[in-house]
């Protein structure tokens, strides 16, 4: 086939390559619809299992929330039982490298729920192994978000579980983002779910996609207090660096997920009691700092890129929320994968059911062979 000679769409921006029932990103209005619900409503109404079931049904699978809950519970137990077979997979320096290697060990015929559960179990097992501790077995009586907190060795309770559920539901799916596209490309060749998830994890690792919240937290820690925000951000921009957690390929408004997560942190802060009041004060101080930094960054970016509307994206408040839950910054991207694996799995199912091989074209700009190059 002769390759495309027409216009080049670098980054495929604005190119529609498939139809989906899973989620819709309206960048102009700052709206995200997931399986028929606005993300704000979904995060308020559903826990992770319910959101998984909704996505799964929307992808065309015959399922319901109770089945999904049971399948994820069984999947967590199976994944934990498989840990001894992973060898050195979890002993990597980089958490996403470890997760990619561990997920690659899943059997080729793993069900979506087995695969989604395994991402959480492997993330927690990595965290424990890395800290020189023994992995904690999933407790069967807990819901998925609670079980993940418990396996990470973090405080389990109604408020942290609600906050983690809000996070997992909010980031479960997001149109044809880079990792979902990577997963769909793999699925479009009729390859298997596990191969598609490995591709998704590889794409999510990058700092322009799921790798941003760690640097956001580093930035907030480096700024330390609101009065230093402007000078710090000006220096970053003057050095030609991007402000992490700001800007988005599609949103021309503040990312709707930033609103949901900001509210979830506020609620978490109000509910965290360690007796001394120090825990909620610490979270509230970080939240106040984040808001001040966001405000400053928004103003400076508007000066630098007028009319581009570079606003806070989901990663900005992810950093604040996950750190308030006690999640180590190294684990921010794997915890993102714990949620997004459900989106990937649903997209893989949809792609397998209806999709066409994804095979774009490129324009060759390399050297052409000399007329006599093959002559002896
Ligand atoms: N800080 C500084 N400048 C930024 C910026 C940021 N966060 N985001 C975009 N810009 C600049 C770009 O460098 C570009 O400048 P140029 O025209 O001189 O090349 C301009 O604004 C337009 O960029 P845009 O087309 O909006 O970016 P994109 O669609 O290629 O990239 C992101 C989108 C998300 C990758 C980008 O905004 C970014 O790198 N943000 C920081 C990383 C991040 O938070 N990622 C998580 C995404 S959910």
């Amino acid at each position: 086939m002769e390759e495309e000679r027409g216009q080049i769409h670098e980054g495929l921006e604005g190119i529609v390559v498939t139809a989906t029932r899973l989620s819709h990103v309206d960048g102009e209005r700052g709206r995200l619809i997931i399986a028929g619900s606005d993300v704000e409503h979904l995060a308020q109404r559903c826990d992770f299992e319910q959101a998984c079931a909704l996505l799964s049904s929307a992808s065309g699978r015959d399922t319901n929330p109770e089945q999904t809950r049971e399948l994820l519970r069984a999947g967590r137990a199976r994944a934990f039982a498989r840990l001894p077979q992973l060898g050195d997979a979890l002993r990597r320096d980089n958490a996403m490298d470890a997760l990619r290697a561990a997920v690659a060990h899943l059997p080729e015929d793993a069900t979506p729920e087995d695969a989604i559960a395994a991402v959480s179990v492997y993330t927690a097992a990595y965290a424990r192994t890395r800290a020189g501790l023994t992995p904690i077995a999933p407790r069967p009586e807990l819901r998925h978000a609670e079980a993940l907190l418990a396996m990470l060795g973090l405080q389990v309770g109604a408020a942290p579980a609600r906050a983690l559920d809000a996070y997992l539901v909010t980031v479960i799916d997001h149109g044809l983002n880079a990792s979902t596209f990577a997963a769909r490309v793999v699925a479009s060749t009729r390859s298997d779910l596990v191969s598609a998830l490995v591709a998704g994890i590889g794409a999510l690792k990058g700092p322009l996609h799921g790798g941003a919240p760690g640097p956001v937290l580093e930035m907030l820690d480096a700024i330390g207090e609101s009065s230093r925000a402007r000078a710090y951000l000006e220096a970053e921009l003057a050095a030609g660096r991007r402000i992490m957690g700001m800007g988005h390929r599609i949103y021309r408004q503040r990312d709707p997920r930033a609103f949901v997560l900001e509210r979830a942190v506020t609620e978490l802060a109000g509910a965290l009691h360690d007796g001394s009041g120090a825990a909620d004060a610490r979270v509230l101080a970080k939240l106040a700092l984040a808001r001040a930094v966001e405000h400053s960054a928004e103003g400076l970016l508007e000066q630098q890129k007028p009319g581009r509307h570079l606003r806070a994206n989901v990663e900005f408040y992810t950093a604040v929320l996950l750190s308030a839950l006690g999640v180590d910054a190294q684990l921010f991207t794997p915890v993102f994968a714990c949620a997004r694996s459900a989106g990937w799995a649903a997209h893989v199912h949809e792609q397998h059911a209806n999709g066409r091989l994804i095979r774009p074209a490129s324009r060759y700009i390399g050297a052409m062979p000399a007329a006599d190059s093959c002559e002896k």
Side-chain angles (χ1 to χ4, degrees):
M1 187 185 87
E2 199 177 343
E3 299 278 313
E4 179 74 52
R5 286 174 188 279
Q7 195 192 345
I8 295 178
H9 300 278
E10 285 290 358
L12 297 180
E13 193 165 350
I15 303 297
V16 178
V17 302
T18 192
T20 180
R21 295 183 189 283
L22 298 173
S23 59
H24 171 60
V25 184
D26 182 341
E28 292 302 323
R29 291 187 187 79
R31 187 174 188 197
L32 168 61
I33 296 168
I34 301 175
S37 295
D38 277 301
V39 65
E40 296 83 355
H41 296 143
L42 201 69
Q44 255 168 14
R45 268 202 345 254
C46 291
D47 66 10
F48 180 63
E49 288 93 325
Q50 290 167 320
C52 284
L54 274 176
L55 266 185
S56 182
S57 302
S59 78
R61 288 177 74 218
D62 183 16
T63 184
N64 64 53
E66 278 324 302
Q67 261 172 6
T68 304
R69 203 175 289 287
E70 288 315 310
L71 290 172
L72 284 172
R73 191 190 317 279
R76 292 194 293 274
R78 260 195 291 277
F80 190 79
R82 258 193 315 266
L83 286 180
Q85 297 162 25
L86 296 184
D88 282 342
L90 292 177
R91 295 185 186 283
R92 309 275 178 106
D93 283 340
N94 181 289
M96 288 300 277
D97 290 347
L99 186 60
R100 193 186 57 222
V103 168
H105 275 262
L106 282 168
E108 197 194 40
D109 59 355
T111 64
E113 289 77 12
D114 271 343
I116 296 162
V119 173
S120 287
V121 172
Y122 296 162
T123 295
Y126 166 83
R128 299 282 297 176
T129 309
R130 188 86 190 140
L133 301 165
T134 314
I136 300 172
R139 282 167 47 194
E141 76 279 15
L142 299 181
R143 294 181 307 105
H144 193 85
E146 295 170 323
L148 178 53
L149 287 168
M151 288 188 290
L152 286 166
L154 299 175
Q155 187 193 340
V156 182
R162 203 164 39 248
L164 184 58
D165 260 324
Y167 171 72
L168 296 174
V169 171
T170 299
V171 304
I172 196 166
D173 197 42
H174 197 242
L176 218 51
N177 61 87
S179 59
T180 301
F181 183 58
R184 274 193 94 125
V185 169
V186 172
S188 84
T189 69
R190 306 220 175 127
S191 184
D192 57 282
L193 170 66
V194 174
S195 302
L197 294 190
V198 169
I201 291 169
L204 190 68
K205 178 185 171 188
L208 298 191
H209 187 8
V216 170
L217 191 64
E218 283 165 21
M219 172 179 74
L220 294 179
D221 288 343
I223 292 173
E225 53 185 78
S226 310
S227 59
R228 289 210 282 264
R230 193 177 170 89
Y232 179 95
L233 296 169
E234 278 174 345
E236 287 294 289
L237 290 172
R241 285 190 282 271
R242 292 187 179 199
I243 310 300
M244 289 292 129
M246 300 296 294
H248 199 273
R249 171 58 61 87
I250 297 184
Y251 290 119
R252 294 294 161 259
Q253 303 271 349
R254 193 175 191 241
D255 186 331
R257 299 167 300 173
F259 289 98
V260 180
L261 297 186
E262 187 185 4
R263 188 163 72 196
V265 189
T266 312
E267 286 172 6
L268 177 65
L272 279 181
H273 296 298
D274 66 354
S276 67
D280 44 341
R282 205 172 41 241
V283 175
L284 284 172
K286 185 63 78 50
L287 189 58
L289 174 64
R291 285 177 173 143
V293 172
E294 178 191 359
H295 182 71
S296 246
E298 208 177 272
L300 290 170
L301 288 168
E302 187 55 33
Q303 279 171 21
Q304 183 155 319
K305 301 283 168 199
R308 189 71 183 86
H309 305 297
L310 297 169
R311 302 268 161 80
N313 61 50
V314 65
E315 309 289 29
F316 203 87
Y317 286 94
T318 291
V320 185
L321 177 67
L322 293 184
S323 72
L325 286 171
V327 177
D328 191 273
Q330 261 214 87
L331 298 176
F332 288 176
T333 314
V335 172
F336 190 165
C338 293
R340 187 55 62 82
S341 53
W344 295 332
H347 277 273
V348 166
H349 187 80
E350 198 179 54
Q351 181 69 36
H352 279 161
N354 319 313
R356 181 169 160 80
L357 174 69
I358 300 172
R359 201 304 192 185
S362 55
R363 184 187 300 163
Y364 179 63
I365 55 167
M368 294 303 281
D372 61 353
S373 66
C374 292
E375 290 174 14
K376 296 252 156 78

